[in-house]
Amino acid sequence: MKIMVAVKRVVDYAVKIRIKPDKSGVETQNVNMSMNPFCEIALEEALKIKESGLAKEVVAVTMGPSNCVDTLRTGLAMGADRGIHVEAARDLVPLSVAKVLKKLVEVENPGLLILGKQAIDDDCNQTGQMIAALLGWPQGTFASKVVLDKEKQVATVDREVDGGLETLCLDLPAVITTDLRLNQPRYATLPNIMKAKSKPIKRYTPEELNVEIKSGLEVVQVTEPPKRKAGVILSSVDELIDKLKNEAHVI
Amino acid sequence: MEKWRATTNLRRSLKSILNRQLKFRYLNEKRSCQSSFNLIRDCKSLGQVNAIQHRCFSSASTLVQRNPSFSTLNSDDISYFKGLLGEKSVIQDEDRLETVNTDWMHKYKGSSKLLLLPRSTEEVAQILRYCNSRCLAVVPQGGNTGLVGGSVPVFDEVIVNVSSMTNIISFDKVSGILVCEAGCILENLISFLDNQGFIMPLDLGAKGSCQIGGNVSTNAGGLRLVRYGSLHGNVLGLEAVLANGDVLDMLGTLRKDNTGYDLKHLFIGSEGSLGIVTKVSILTPPKLSSVNIAFLACNDYSSCQKLLMEAKRKLGEILSAFEFLDTEAMNLVLHQLDGVRNPLPASMHNFYILIETTGSDESYNREKLEAFLLSSMEGGLISDGVLAQDINQASSFWRIREGVPEALMKAGAVYKYDLSLPVEKMYDLVDDMRIRLGDLATVVGYGHLGDGNLHLNVSAPEYDDKILEQIEPYVYEWTSKHRGSISAEHGLGLMKANKIYYSKSTETVQTMASIKKLLDPNGILNPYKVLPHSLNS
């Protein structure tokens, strides 16, 4: 079985974000970029499944401008076998990503498609669900545990939902999106980094795949949330009561 | 050295009583501040008030006597300070005094009755002028993170703590020169500079609490010394207050200034014994965007050395940190700290090396590092390694290296030694100590391999003089034989006050004593520390 994992290049989770002066988006020039943490978890899960003998190949896919290949290299260094890069001039919205993935799935025929539950730059949490709908595949989102059964060709997924944990049984092929507690991603070891240099990366463009990537959304403005006001040190209980009554209106 | 042996005999009777009490308390209570405080009160009741051994939980130190020429605090003094600084900055509250009287390792505890919190250089000057006229001993204090007992009182010295002086006075974005007050916490300065696109030239595990005045006074080293050099090179100027209250304004912001004797270097590293540093002017390097960090494993110490040589040659200008830790250190960190995992879990290796590179061009630097690592691996120098792929992974590598002191504290009693040795010989000392101590204790070696600085730590469940006898003076003699330094970056403080002769000649120390006498004739600044007690009149 082949597993396909979609990975996204995002601003590094530990970086302090700044807004561009023209408020058109987040500053990404000269900022550390890395693989989306949830995508790392997705890739780690795919590698674990491969190491347990239930899959033969792990293919990492990314979409975006040419610097996205760095993320693919990280994925290959973690242990993915092949990489696919879909070249696109700017960031794609989840629906476009899902459409492209659908075409790639038709080409590659994986038995399992694993994605991170959301990207930390847009927090959309849409791609996994959309691609499952486009393909007509079952989906197990917010997975915190995945167990595959090869004979029965099913995946048992524990989902983290608001009320607790929900266990679903999905027929393969299926789409799984990963949540934080699924696993702890491995580090890229030196031998694997060296091997990654010779692993193949195939390039596509959206036109080659016959996918229309026009976005129906336009970002009008991006602003910072209002700054937290400084606290005030009060000198007596009377003053506190006065402020609670007259300023905060809570008593 | 002779005097030390003589006093040991004298102390034996007192010590045997102390030890019995000590073991009883340790077994029955969790080792905490509380038990050591009670013990010290008991010590006092055993008789000699002025000549107690202060390191109750730990090793033999020389018997320190309170200098009778120092006055004792009286109510007039308190009123004067209250009038000068205001009520809020004069602390006599017992609980707050307990904290400032005890050092970070809970090894040293003084009995000061007064904590002063000046908010300006002028206030510091007036405090010192008064204390000098009254002959009141003073301990300058900052973040109190020192490891040799230099930041806490030995007896009832007045504590002058600069934590309230936290202004950043100016920052020049073009030259990167930062001028700030001595009480600024290092981590806060790092955050401030981060917004401006610069970094501090020093970085240490204690950055959340240590203050720049203390860093300068102790000539702190840290993790980046191999790249940015010591504070002697990065501090462009400072303002210090002498014992008599005179303010020396040497707060220059010039890279080059050859006008007369460069006195600031006297204060850098003198551990508060020549003057209290109140302002610092420091050159900060620009923050470079590309930071890469690798965590590597080596089979033996000679591979570590060869790796260092190769790194200096092949990584050259982008190398910014080269640290090492041995298996015991790694084990300790994995056991004692939460949320830490071994980046190289496949097997336990003998040595772990952490290499960090900082440069301006991401792809170029990464390729350089990868090429270096590949050739080292092919050459058999490294047996395994990982390269951090994002900032989180990088922090987790640093957490391991920076967490070793914390893990040692949690593991029980620790004897800490900080030595500069020739790189080839460094680990021989660790091996020797393992043979000497056998099953008595675990010997852990880690440190700044790039600077030739070994942090030798001996970890045991409890303090025990049998262990100490095997360590001292063997470690100092070993270091002295190889012309190393018995204190690479921690300073002398109280712990090593009488050990200076292992690394400096008699004439040198005599000259130091003359300078001390010149700048502080009454000896009120941080007494009993840094220089040997025999030199005090």
Side-chain angles (χ1 to χ4, degrees):
Chain A
M1 180 176 74
K2 200 188 294 186
I3 305 182
M4 188 182 275
V5 181
V7 297
K8 187 175 181 186
R9 180 172 186 263
V10 296
V11 176
D12 193 315
Y13 150 76
V15 166
K16 227 188 303 207
I17 315 245
R18 260 178 268 269
I19 311 271
K20 283 196 241 193
D22 60 0
K23 294 197 180 172
S24 61
V26 166
E27 184 68 69
T28 49
Q29 297 273 31
N30 286 329
V31 160
N32 280 329
M33 307 286 275
S34 63
M35 192 190 287
N36 183 32
F38 295 108
C39 300
E40 273 181 359
I41 296 174
L43 188 52
E44 173 66 24
E45 196 58 28
L47 293 171
K48 278 207 168 110
I49 296 174
K50 177 180 153 195
E51 279 162 5
S52 69
L54 296 168
K56 272 220 277 298
E57 202 186 13
V58 173
V59 182
V61 178
T62 196
M63 304 174 202
S66 54
N67 49 22
C68 288
V69 176
D70 293 339
T71 316
L72 269 190
R73 287 272 168 230
T74 303
L76 294 173
M78 280 171 74
D81 301 294
R82 278 190 294 125
I84 297 179
H85 173 219
V86 179
E87 188 104 32
R90 38 171 186 73
D91 288 334
L92 303 175
V93 290
L95 187 54
S96 312
V97 172
K99 287 180 187 166
V100 172
L101 272 178
K102 176 165 183 252
K103 290 289 162 131
L104 288 172
V105 162
E106 284 165 12
V107 170
E108 295 279 342
N109 273 317
L112 197 56
L113 179 60
I114 312 185
L115 301 96
K117 73 172 180 181
Q118 65 197 57
I120 59 169
D121 54 2
D122 53 23
D123 280 338
C124 281
N125 189 355
Q126 295 164 2
T127 312
Q129 291 86 337
M130 286 174 171
I131 179 67
L134 288 175
L135 289 170
W137 284 8
Q139 57 181 275
T141 52
F142 316 122
S144 66
K145 189 161 132 193
V146 173
V147 178
L148 281 185
D149 188 332
K150 202 162 191 188
E151 285 105 62
K152 298 202 208 122
Q153 284 285 295
V154 291
T156 311
V157 175
D158 281 3
R159 305 180 56 223
E160 288 198 16
V161 294
D162 286 343
L165 288 176
E166 181 189 58
T167 309
L168 291 183
C169 200
L170 316 171
D171 291 328
L172 297 181
V175 173
I176 295 179
T177 69
T178 60
D179 207 328
L180 209 53
R181 273 171 272 274
L182 180 57
N183 60 42
Q184 211 172 28
R186 63 193 60 185
Y187 293 111
T189 61
L190 289 179
N192 282 340
I193 293 176
M194 299 314 157
K195 276 189 229 153
K197 291 196 192 300
S198 51
K199 288 182 184 169
I201 295 184
K202 184 133 188 345
R203 276 192 175 70
Y204 290 102
T205 59
E207 293 76 43
E208 281 171 24
L209 296 170
N210 278 327
V211 178
E212 177 71 63
I213 55 165
K214 193 162 72 86
S215 164
L217 299 171
E218 183 198 328
V219 173
V220 174
Q221 194 190 65
V222 178
T223 51
E224 274 184 26
K227 285 218 184 329
R228 252 189 84 185
K229 279 193 285 187
V232 180
I233 297 185
L234 304 170
S235 55
S236 71
V237 179
D238 294 320
E239 209 183 326
L240 173 66
I241 296 178
D242 174 57
K243 284 211 186 267
L244 285 175
K245 202 180 227 171
N246 300 321
E247 276 187 39
H249 302 293
V250 290
I251 52 170
Chain B
M1 249 195 322
E2 297 310 314
K3 195 174 179 181
W4 177 81
R5 288 208 181 96
T7 54
T8 321
N9 291 327
L10 280 174
R11 268 184 304 107
R12 223 148 251 171
S13 52
L14 181 63
K15 260 191 3 138
S16 60
I17 304 171
L18 280 174
N19 279 341
R20 257 184 272 129
Q21 286 227 347
L22 165 64
K23 289 202 168 91
F24 178 76
R25 281 207 189 275
Y26 180 76
L27 290 169
N28 287 332
E29 296 170 347
K30 276 235 163 74
R31 178 170 166 265
S32 65
C33 281
Q34 210 46 51
S35 50
S36 69
F37 299 157
N38 291 333
L39 191 53
I40 289 165
R41 264 180 246 140
D42 289 337
C43 292
K44 283 201 161 105
S45 70
L46 282 169
Q48 304 171 282
V49 177
N50 288 333
I52 51 176
Q53 179 176 303
H54 274 268
R55 290 170 52 195
C56 278
F57 252 157
S58 163
S59 48
S61 65
T62 56
L63 190 59
V64 190
Q65 294 264 7
R66 186 186 183 282
N67 190 332
S69 62
F70 293 141
S71 316
T72 337
L73 273 177
N74 58 35
S75 52
D76 288 334
D77 299 323
I78 311 280
S79 327
Y80 174 78
F81 289 129
K82 283 194 174 156
L84 172 66
L85 305 172
E87 292 267 345
K88 284 205 177 142
S89 303
V90 177
I91 314 290
Q92 293 177 281
D93 166 58
E94 294 242 333
D95 290 321
R96 281 184 77 172
L97 281 173
E98 300 261 286
T99 341
V100 289
N101 264 314
T102 319
D103 77 320
W104 182 76
M105 292 190 52
H106 303 308
K107 250 179 156 183
Y108 302 95
K109 186 175 189 275
S111 39
S112 170
K113 298 280 181 302
L114 186 63
L115 166 66
L116 299 176
L117 299 168
R119 277 161 318 228
S120 70
T121 309
E122 188 47 47
E123 286 183 0
V124 175
Q126 288 181 321
I127 293 174
L128 285 183
R129 195 173 305 131
Y130 182 80
C131 291
N132 195 31
S133 65
R134 277 273 294 131
C135 221
L136 286 167
V138 162
V139 171
Q141 190 182 80
N144 197 6
T145 55
L147 299 170
V148 287
S151 53
V152 290
V154 183
F155 297 105
D156 59 345
E157 298 91 283
V158 173
I159 303 176
V160 177
N161 190 311
V162 294
S163 303
S164 302
M165 298 170 62
T166 55
N167 284 329
I168 294 180
I169 298 170
S170 73
F171 179 66
D172 180 342
K173 282 198 239 275
V174 174
S175 57
I177 298 178
L178 171 73
V179 181
C180 62
E181 287 186 331
C184 295
I185 296 179
L186 186 60
E187 192 159 56
N188 293 344
L189 290 177
I190 294 175
S191 312
F192 168 76
L193 289 174
D194 200 61
N195 285 335
Q196 314 285 339
F198 286 81
I199 56 169
M200 285 298 278
L202 79 162
D203 191 10
L204 33 151
K207 58 188 152 224
S209 313
C210 67
Q211 296 168 10
I212 190 68
N215 290 144
V216 167
S217 300
T218 55
N219 191 20
L223 308 160
R224 302 263 151 72
L225 196 132
V226 70
R227 168 76 170 253
Y228 299 116
S230 92
L231 281 177
H232 281 288
N234 290 309
V235 170
L236 299 179
L238 53 86
E239 182 192 70
V241 181
L242 295 177
N244 62 4
D246 281 352
V247 176
L248 281 188
D249 179 0
M250 305 175 286
L251 200 59
T253 52
L254 307 167
R255 285 301 301 276
K256 300 162 97 170
D257 182 11
N258 279 351
T259 50
Y261 307 140
D262 200 352
L263 291 181
K264 67 174 187 283
H265 291 291
L266 275 183
F267 294 92
I268 302 175
S270 62
E271 306 180 47
S273 59
L274 296 180
I276 300 187
V277 172
T278 47
K279 295 197 181 84
V280 174
S281 144
I282 187 164
L283 179 67
T284 65
K287 183 173 157 81
L288 297 174
S289 53
S290 154
V291 179
N292 284 304
I293 176 165
F295 201 84
L296 312 165
C298 294
N299 275 328
D300 53 40
Y301 186 66
S302 67
S303 313
C304 297
Q305 290 175 58
K306 288 194 199 119
L307 193 65
L308 173 63
M309 281 181 349
E310 284 295 302
K312 285 195 163 156
R313 189 149 303 156
K314 298 234 173 88
L315 295 175
E317 71 282 5
I318 62 170
L319 182 67
S320 59
F322 195 102
E323 301 284 315
F324 94 105
L325 42 152
D326 62 10
T327 296
E328 283 76 11
M330 179 61 114
N331 277 335
L332 211 62
V333 171
L334 293 173
H335 279 136
Q336 298 287 346
L337 298 183
D338 297 322
V340 171
R341 60 171 171 140
N342 189 345
L344 299 164
S347 56
M348 287 307 288
H349 300 95
N350 291 330
F351 293 93
Y352 297 93
I353 302 267
L354 189 148
I355 296 184
E356 186 194 67
T357 62
T358 310
S360 47
D361 188 331
E362 175 69 50
S363 47
Y364 169 65
N365 291 333
R366 210 178 167 77
E367 273 171 42
K368 205 165 167 177
L369 182 58
E370 281 183 9
F372 162 71
L373 293 174
L374 175 65
S375 68
S376 304
M377 195 135 191
E378 285 172 355
L381 290 180
I382 315 177
S383 55
D384 201 358
V386 288
L387 194 53
Q389 300 294 318
D390 55 41
I391 300 183
N392 253 343
Q393 292 186 0
S395 318
S396 64
F397 294 168
W398 274 121
R399 178 90 184 95
I400 297 174
R401 165 60 185 88
E402 286 181 328
V404 181
E406 194 188 326
L408 282 162
M409 281 275 285
K410 288 192 174 165
V414 56
Y415 296 91
K416 250 186 207 308
Y417 298 92
D418 161 47
L419 314 158
S420 264
L421 290 166
V423 175
E424 322 81 74
K425 294 281 182 304
M426 238 163 80
Y427 208 71
D428 291 346
L429 177 55
V430 183
D431 288 331
D432 274 356
M433 289 309 301
R434 285 209 178 108
I435 297 172
R436 266 181 89 85
L437 285 167
D439 284 330
L440 279 179
T442 317
V443 181
V444 167
Y446 65 99
H448 315 289
L449 190 54
D451 315 325
N453 183 191
L454 172 72
H455 288 309
L456 174 72
N457 280 253
V458 177
S459 172
E462 323 177 344
Y463 286 106
D464 186 349
D465 276 337
K466 272 206 298 289
I467 300 178
L468 184 67
E469 273 160 29
Q470 293 296 329
I471 307 177
E472 291 187 25
Y474 181 73
V475 162
Y476 296 135
E477 286 167 356
W478 205 104
T479 308
S480 190
K481 195 165 59 170
H482 293 96
R483 295 186 63 85
S485 164
I486 52 143
S487 184
E489 52 182 11
H490 292 169
L492 296 169
L494 179 64
M495 178 180 168
K496 302 180 203 175
N498 289 324
K499 311 279 195 287
I500 193 173
Y501 293 111
Y502 283 108
S503 294
K504 289 281 183 315
S505 73
T506 332
E507 297 79 21
T508 318
V509 180
Q510 286 285 9
T511 314
M512 290 186 199
S514 311
I515 295 176
K516 166 76 173 170
K517 197 90 182 116
L518 176 71
L519 292 177
D520 182 14
N522 290 330
I524 61 163
L525 286 174
N526 229 359
Y528 320 112
K529 298 170 190 156
V530 186
L531 295 179
H533 302 134
S534 53
L535 290 175
N536 296 329
S537 48

